[in-house]
Amino acid sequence: METVLLVLAGWWWVAPAAAGAGAATYAGLTAKSRRARRLELDAARHEEAEAYRALMHARALVRTVRAEHLAVRARTGMLSSETLEAKRRLQLAKRAHKSAVLELRATRARVRAAAEQYSISSRTDPLPLQKVLAAHDAVTAQWLPYEVDAAKALEYPAMTDARHPATLAFLRAQREAQRLRPSTDERVSPQRFIEYRTAVRVLEAAFAEAERRHGEGVSRTGARRP
């Protein structure tokens, strides 16, 4: 009994240390999970910040171009070609400013939507990155039969022929999405998430357009499209 007590006395620190290590590990996993679940919201906030910077730039440009327009008008007159050109540049700058205002409003709406989605999400819901990866994989799964199914490849040969503009656009989008696809152990920043998500959306649209064009060609002619 005395031996047991001596052993326990010598190893009294093991349980607290193990508990502390377990707590640290759990805290790390929880933080990682929270970051992953918040990625959509962080991306929306990143887009909002970028849109705000773009608006500030557009506003400064309007002021600069307006000053140039007034200077040219004072120097050459209201109807001179230089004044008319300066006025055209001012109108373009104003349009760009208006677009920047609308884009900032749109990004703020996306932030609100992402915040609401984050607040109601649960641990069982797919993570934002998982959703984008699944969308990417879905396009790949739809595309593969055109490559490996002999019957489908014969029926729709244009879907694998890069000489067709729609197919070429899809293949380029496919390559770009694959280039931006993060690895499983990679910590994805909001900017990287936005770039990958955009690439996957472009890929989805390009694939749908390729299928529409080539599918229409087959149904319209009633024969295989060369």
Side-chain angles (χ1 to χ4, degrees):
M1 183 66 180
E2 185 177 354
T3 305
V4 174
L5 292 175
L6 287 173
V7 170
L8 291 176
W11 289 85
W12 64 269
W13 54 272
V14 172
T25 302
Y26 174 76
L29 290 174
T30 302
K32 183 178 180 180
S33 176
R34 191 180 299 117
R35 282 196 305 269
R37 198 165 298 285
R38 202 182 58 222
L39 188 54
E40 188 87 43
L41 176 57
D42 290 342
R45 287 171 173 164
H46 180 83
E47 288 179 316
E48 181 188 17
E50 290 293 316
Y52 179 78
R53 282 191 284 270
L55 175 59
M56 294 299 101
H57 176 75
R59 186 174 295 172
L61 183 61
V62 168
R63 291 172 180 168
T64 300
V65 176
R66 180 181 285 120
E68 292 174 354
H69 172 250
L70 292 174
V72 171
R73 178 177 171 181
R75 187 175 68 251
T76 64
M78 184 180 296
L79 300 178
S80 71
S81 59
E82 289 183 47
T83 299
L84 294 176
E85 176 59 23
K87 183 178 180 180
R88 187 187 69 83
R89 290 198 300 271
L90 178 58
Q91 290 172 340
L92 291 175
K94 286 181 177 179
R95 286 195 205 115
H97 177 264
K98 184 176 181 180
S99 296
V101 170
L102 295 175
E103 178 60 25
L104 180 59
R105 290 177 183 172
T107 59
R108 286 176 173 168
R110 289 197 290 271
V111 167
R112 289 193 295 272
E116 291 175 3
Q117 185 61 40
Y118 175 68
S119 67
I120 64 175
S121 65
S122 67
R123 293 181 179 275
T124 59
D125 293 333
L127 296 173
L129 182 57
Q130 288 175 333
K131 293 178 183 178
V132 182
L133 290 168
H136 189 177
D137 291 340
V139 176
T140 302
Q142 290 175 287
W143 158 254
L144 277 178
Y146 294 106
E147 283 279 0
V148 300
D149 188 327
K152 198 162 189 175
L154 285 173
E155 187 177 3
Y156 301 101
M159 283 296 291
T160 55
D161 190 347
R163 291 175 297 179
H164 291 264
T167 302
L168 180 60
F170 163 71
L171 293 174
R172 285 174 173 169
Q174 186 184 48
R175 183 168 59 248
E176 180 65 6
Q178 191 59 41
R179 184 184 70 83
L180 292 172
R181 185 183 179 106
S183 60
T184 54
D185 59 344
E186 182 179 351
R187 180 175 177 179
V188 179
S189 67
Q191 176 64 32
R192 178 70 184 281
F193 175 74
I194 292 168
E195 291 173 356
Y196 177 54
R197 183 183 61 187
T198 300
V200 171
R201 288 175 178 174
V202 170
L203 175 64
E204 290 175 317
F207 180 72
E209 178 64 11
E211 280 202 317
R212 185 187 70 81
R213 283 180 175 270
H214 301 321
E216 282 182 357
V218 171
S219 61
R220 189 167 52 243
T221 61
R224 295 170 185 167
R225 185 172 179 173

